[in-house]
Amino acid sequence: MLHVTDLVIDYPDGTRAVDALSFSLTPGETVALIGANGAGKTSLLLGLVGILPSTSGEIVVAGQQLTKKTLREVRAKVGLVFQDPDDQLFMPTVGEDVAFGPRSFGCDDQETAVRVESALAGLSIGHLASRSPLKLSAGEKRLGAIATVLSMKPELLLFDEPTAFLDPKARRNLITVMSELPQAKLIATHDLDFARQVCSRVLLIEKGKLITDTGLDLLDDPVALESSGL
């Protein structure tokens, strides 16, 4: 599903955000991406959709290598849910936000409507279609942002701190929703209890390097977590 090989991402000032990182995800697998602030988690997610260009290495999504020429095709296969839903919800209504992606990729009105209805219904938020994102709760915004991604029918989902800003009830609801999504998922999170409930595997990174690729037992190892700044 996702194969990352020796990926390097450098910022324009020369800072190395991702350093020779390699890993793979299988279809339907849900993997936690953990590390201290500044470890490179968000940079990696942005690199996987080409927002941050790679310096070297290879990214392959569902058999399609990410290059400048294939950027549009790869982005149709990958959905990135940003940490702040306000970065993803910018149209007058939630329904229009969810329709934005399909329309941008050339879907006609009928196909777009079908995708919007399916994405909203799948998250049980059809009642939010005509609501302004400005009037939603944090939990509703999070689900709306996920719906904007699901309307593109991605094969891989990337999440950046999905439990940020959520109250306990909204967090529990998100756990249920994320557990039921069939796509492969890579979830950058500091919420280790959330990772225990949703994920089956853990990638620990530090200063852009992959330190450990292992099972959930790592989340119960205080010595290993503390040594990595967690």
Side-chain angles (χ1 to χ4, degrees):
M1 164 51 59
L2 171 66
H3 301 282
V4 178
T5 306
D6 295 329
L7 183 66
V8 174
I9 297 175
D10 293 323
Y11 281 103
D13 66 0
T15 301
R16 179 146 294 182
V18 176
D19 191 356
L21 199 150
S22 299
F23 68 96
S24 296
L25 265 68
T26 59
E29 188 176 24
T30 302
V31 176
L33 178 65
I34 68 172
N37 286 333
K41 301 186 298 297
T42 298
S43 297
L44 174 59
L45 297 185
L46 295 177
L48 294 178
V49 291
I51 294 175
L52 286 180
S54 61
T55 303
S56 62
E58 182 179 72
I59 299 168
V60 178
V61 180
Q64 178 76 65
Q65 183 178 354
L66 176 63
T67 66
K68 290 182 179 179
K69 291 183 179 180
T70 64
L71 186 58
R72 182 178 176 85
E73 289 83 356
V74 170
R75 285 182 176 173
K77 299 174 185 287
V78 184
L80 171 60
V81 181
F82 293 100
Q83 178 175 343
D84 188 345
D86 289 333
D87 292 336
Q88 211 138 7
L89 302 173
F90 52 85
M91 299 293 281
T93 68
V94 172
E96 290 174 273
D97 271 314
V98 178
F100 183 85
R103 284 176 178 153
S104 297
F105 274 75
C107 292
D108 61 25
D109 289 346
Q110 182 177 0
E111 174 64 17
T112 296
V114 169
R115 289 188 179 213
V116 170
E117 182 179 2
S118 176
L120 294 175
L123 299 175
S124 300
I125 56 170
H127 60 288
L128 300 181
S130 61
R131 295 272 301 278
S132 166
L134 299 175
K135 297 182 179 180
L136 302 182
S137 68
E140 289 171 334
K141 285 184 178 182
R142 179 72 65 198
L143 294 179
I146 295 172
T148 67
V149 166
L150 294 183
S151 67
M152 293 298 296
K153 297 185 176 180
E155 299 179 56
L156 170 65
L157 295 172
L158 309 175
F159 293 88
D160 193 359
E161 298 293 347
T163 60
F165 316 120
L166 298 186
D167 62 27
K169 182 178 180 179
R171 180 179 173 279
R172 289 194 299 271
N173 184 47
L174 182 65
I175 288 171
T176 299
V177 167
M178 302 255 307
S179 298
E180 294 176 350
L181 292 173
Q183 292 91 344
K185 296 177 285 294
L186 180 62
I187 305 172
T189 184
H190 285 114
D191 187 340
L192 303 186
D193 186 56
F194 172 80
R196 286 188 190 92
Q197 297 181 68
V198 174
C199 302
S200 59
R201 184 172 138 225
V202 179
L203 303 179
L204 171 63
I205 65 173
E206 184 176 343
K207 296 181 180 179
K209 291 181 176 291
L210 180 62
I211 303 301
T212 305
D213 180 351
T214 187
L216 296 180
D217 289 350
L218 175 67
L219 302 179
D220 297 311
D221 186 340
V223 175
L225 295 175
E226 186 171 350
S227 68
S228 296
L230 294 170

